[in-house]
Amino acid sequence: MSSKISLLICLFFILHLLAADSVTGHKIEIYEIKKGDFSVKVTNYGATIISVLLPDKNGKIGDVVLGYDTIKEYRNDTSYFGAALGRVANRIGGAQFTLNGTHYKLVANEGVNMLHGGLKGFSKVVWKVRKYVQDGPSPYITLTYHSADGEEGFPGDVVVSVTYALKDHYNLSVVFKAKALNKATPINLSHHPYWNIGGHNSGDVLSQVVQIFASHITPLDTQHIPTGIISPVKNTPYDFLKPRKVGSRIDKIQNGYDINYALDSTEKMKHVAIVYDKKSGREMDIKATAPGVQFYTANWVINTKGKGGYVYQPHSALCLETQGFPDAVNHPNFPSTIVTPGKSYVHSVLYTFTIKKY
Ligand SMILES: *[C@@H]1O[C@H](CO)[C@@H](O)[C@H](O)[C@H]1NC(C)=O
Ligand SMILES: *[C@@H]1O[C@H](CO)[C@@H](O)[C@H](O)[C@H]1NC(C)=O
Ligand SMILES: *[C@@H]1O[C@H](CO)[C@@H](O)[C@H](O)[C@H]1NC(C)=O
Ligand SMILES: CC(=O)N[C@H]1CO[C@H](CO)[C@@H](O)[C@@H]1O
C-alpha cells in the first residue's frame, strides 16, 4: 500500500475516533480554572470534576478528589467519580412514576431501579462549554446540555447548565440550573465528587472528622429505596450532629454509610456538613440549597486504579451529595422535584476549604 493511502486511512480512523468521542457534536476536553494555588480541572464528559488542588498545612499542594488519568477510564467508570448527576440524581424506585395521570417507564440501570438518571444519565453524556474564564479574579466554567424529550424515559426537553467557579481562598461554587421546555418533569441535579481532603492517595478517611447538620435520615428498604419514613438519628450510628470520626461507628453499619439525611436548616443556603482532616490541616465546609444530602463512604470502590496508578479501596473517600430526597417523585410527603415548563430549577453548592495550621 502506498504511504499516501495508508496516511489517508489513518486520517479517516482518527476523524472517526474524534466523531465517536463527540456523541452530541462536541469534543471531549479538559479545562482548568485556577486562582493562585487553588485549581480545579473539569472535563465536558459528564461535566466531571477531575481534580481539586490546594495546599495542606505545610504548603504542599494535594489533590483532594478521587479520579482517573484518562477520559477513557471516566467513560468506563461505574462509581461516578466527580460527575454531574441528572436528570434525577439518586434512585427512582421501580424506574417509574406517574405524573398528572401519565405513567412514565424509565430506563432501569440498577436492578429494577433507575440510578443517577439511567444508563446514559448526565454523567455519561458530552456537555457543551458555554463560558470559560481560566484565571484572573473570578475564574469559572459553564457547561450546558440539552436533554431530549423521552431521554432515558423522562418527559419533555430539558436544558441544564452547571457552573464551577473559584472564589476567594478557597471557595468552590457549583451552581446547577435547569429549565423544562415543554413538559413537566422531575429534575434534581447533583454531583459526585469523592472527597479525600487528606489527599486522594492518602488512604482511608476513617480518621477524618465529620459533622452533618441533620437530625433525620430517610431510611431505605432492601432495594435501597426510601421507605417514606423520616427517622431521627438520635442514639444511632448515623448521628453526626456533633463532630465525630467517620470510622467511629462505621462497623455498626453493613458496608458503611450510604444514606440520605434531611437537613435541619430552614434557610435557603443550608449548612450541610464540615469535614476535617487533622493530618493535612484541611477542612471542608459545605453549604447548599438542597433539602437533603447523601452521605456515602465509597463502600463499593474496590481495587479501583485511579490517578497516578494509585489503587482506591472502600472508604478511601467520602461523598456528601446534596440533593432532593431520593425517589421524591414516588413519595408525596417528600419535597417535590417536579419542574413545570417556564419554571427554572436552581441548586447551588458552596465548598469552603480552610487550612488550619494547628
Ligand atoms: C473498565 O472497567 C472494567 C470493570 O470495572 C475493568 O476491569 C477494566 O480494566 C476497565 N477498563 C479501562 C480501560 O479502564
Ligand atoms: C467563601 O465562603 C464563605 C462561607 O463558607 C463565605 O463566608 C465567604 O464570603 C465566601 N467568599 C467568597 C469570596 O465568596
Ligand atoms: C396537569 O394537567 C392539567 C390539565 O391538562 C394541566 O392544567 C396542569 O398544568 C398539569 N400539571 C402538570 C404538573 O403538568
Ligand atoms: C425545582 C424543584 O422542584 N427542585 C426540587 C429538588 O428537590 C427538592 C426536594 O426533593 C425540592 O425542594 C426542590 O424544589
Side-chain angles (χ1 to χ4, degrees):
M1 212 186 307
S2 90
S3 65
K4 251 187 202 158
I5 290 175
S6 42
L7 187 71
L8 271 177
I9 290 173
C10 199
L11 252 175
F12 173 80
F13 275 106
I14 288 171
L15 286 174
H16 192 74
L17 271 180
L18 284 176
D21 251 6
S22 48
V23 191
T24 53
H26 318 289
K27 252 177 82 182
I28 296 173
E29 308 264 17
I30 291 171
Y31 302 84
E32 181 180 30
I33 48 177
K34 194 165 164 45
K35 194 170 166 69
D37 53 9
F38 189 29
S39 143
V40 172
K41 278 192 185 138
V42 306
T43 169
N44 55 327
Y45 180 71
T48 301
I49 292 185
I50 291 180
S51 67
V52 176
L53 298 177
L54 75 159
D56 66 8
K57 65 180 172 189
N58 301 312
K60 191 166 169 271
I61 303 287
D63 186 349
V64 296
V65 291
L66 271 49
Y68 306 102
D69 285 328
T70 64
I71 299 293
K72 208 168 162 188
E73 292 162 290
Y74 278 99
R75 280 177 168 283
N76 191 30
D77 160 277
T78 52
S79 305
Y80 301 90
F81 280 175
L85 307 175
R87 195 179 286 201
V88 175
N90 218 300
R91 295 183 177 84
I92 296 181
Q96 58 183 327
F97 64 93
T98 299
L99 180 58
N100 219 7
T102 307
H103 185 255
Y104 294 96
K105 190 80 199 89
L106 307 171
V107 173
N109 60 326
E110 193 204 46
V112 298
N113 302 323
M114 170 181 264
L115 176 66
H116 296 328
L119 273 179
K120 247 183 161 333
F122 294 175
S123 58
K124 298 284 178 217
V125 297
V126 183
W127 294 53
K128 194 184 265 183
V129 175
R130 259 293 140 75
K131 286 178 185 153
Y132 178 38
V133 177
Q134 189 173 0
D135 46 25
S138 309
Y140 75 102
I141 183 166
T142 298
L143 304 115
T144 61
Y145 177 67
H146 183 132
S147 171
D149 185 11
E151 195 173 286
E152 300 299 298
F154 286 110
D157 289 89
V158 166
V159 285
V160 290
S161 71
V162 55
T163 299
Y164 299 109
L166 301 187
K167 304 277 164 75
D168 277 336
H169 283 78
Y170 290 93
N171 286 13
L172 165 62
S173 145
V174 182
V175 179
F176 303 93
K177 291 186 181 167
K179 241 187 208 149
L181 298 187
N182 35 43
K183 289 181 192 163
T185 176
I187 299 180
N188 245 308
L189 307 178
S190 189
H191 73 152
H192 216 310
Y194 280 65
W195 299 105
N196 185 334
I197 58 170
H200 81 98
N201 51 0
S202 68
D204 68 58
V205 296
L206 299 178
S207 65
Q208 294 180 9
V209 173
V210 168
Q211 185 172 17
I212 301 175
F213 301 97
S215 314
H216 294 86
I217 51 171
T218 53
L220 305 178
D221 65 17
T222 53
Q223 290 288 312
H224 302 289
I225 297 302
T227 55
I229 299 166
I230 296 183
S231 87
V233 295
K234 206 172 168 210
N235 300 321
T236 75
Y238 294 102
D239 187 347
F240 283 96
L241 284 163
K242 293 218 173 71
R244 293 261 209 165
K245 282 192 176 162
V246 173
S248 56
R249 295 148 303 160
I250 200 169
D251 56 332
K252 302 252 183 334
I253 295 167
Q254 206 184 2
N255 304 318
Y257 295 96
D258 190 4
I259 189 87
N260 178 65
Y261 286 77
L263 296 168
D264 288 341
S265 168
T266 51
E267 280 169 62
K268 187 157 189 292
M269 200 68 177
K270 299 174 176 62
H271 209 174
V272 175
I274 298 175
V275 186
Y276 174 59
D277 174 54
K278 192 158 191 242
K279 248 186 276 168
S280 64
R282 292 191 191 99
E283 184 184 89
M284 175 174 70
D285 176 298
I286 307 177
K287 295 189 177 74
T289 56
V293 64
Q294 185 87 11
F295 178 44
Y296 173 56
T297 46
N299 313 327
W300 302 110
V301 173
I302 302 164
N303 292 325
T304 303
K305 191 167 104 5
K307 287 182 257 196
Y310 190 81
V311 178
Y312 305 131
Q313 298 295 357
H315 317 315
S316 56
L318 57 86
C319 303
L320 288 154
E321 304 153 63
T322 59
Q323 61 185 6
F325 294 173
D327 199 29
V329 77
N330 290 315
H331 295 274
N333 63 325
F334 287 177
S336 166
T337 53
I338 303 303
V339 181
T340 48
K343 290 259 160 54
S344 32
Y345 165 96
V346 183
H347 172 194
S348 308
V349 191
L350 178 66
Y351 299 97
T352 302
F353 298 92
T354 42
I355 297 145
K356 308 208 153 159
K357 299 279 179 194
Y358 47 85

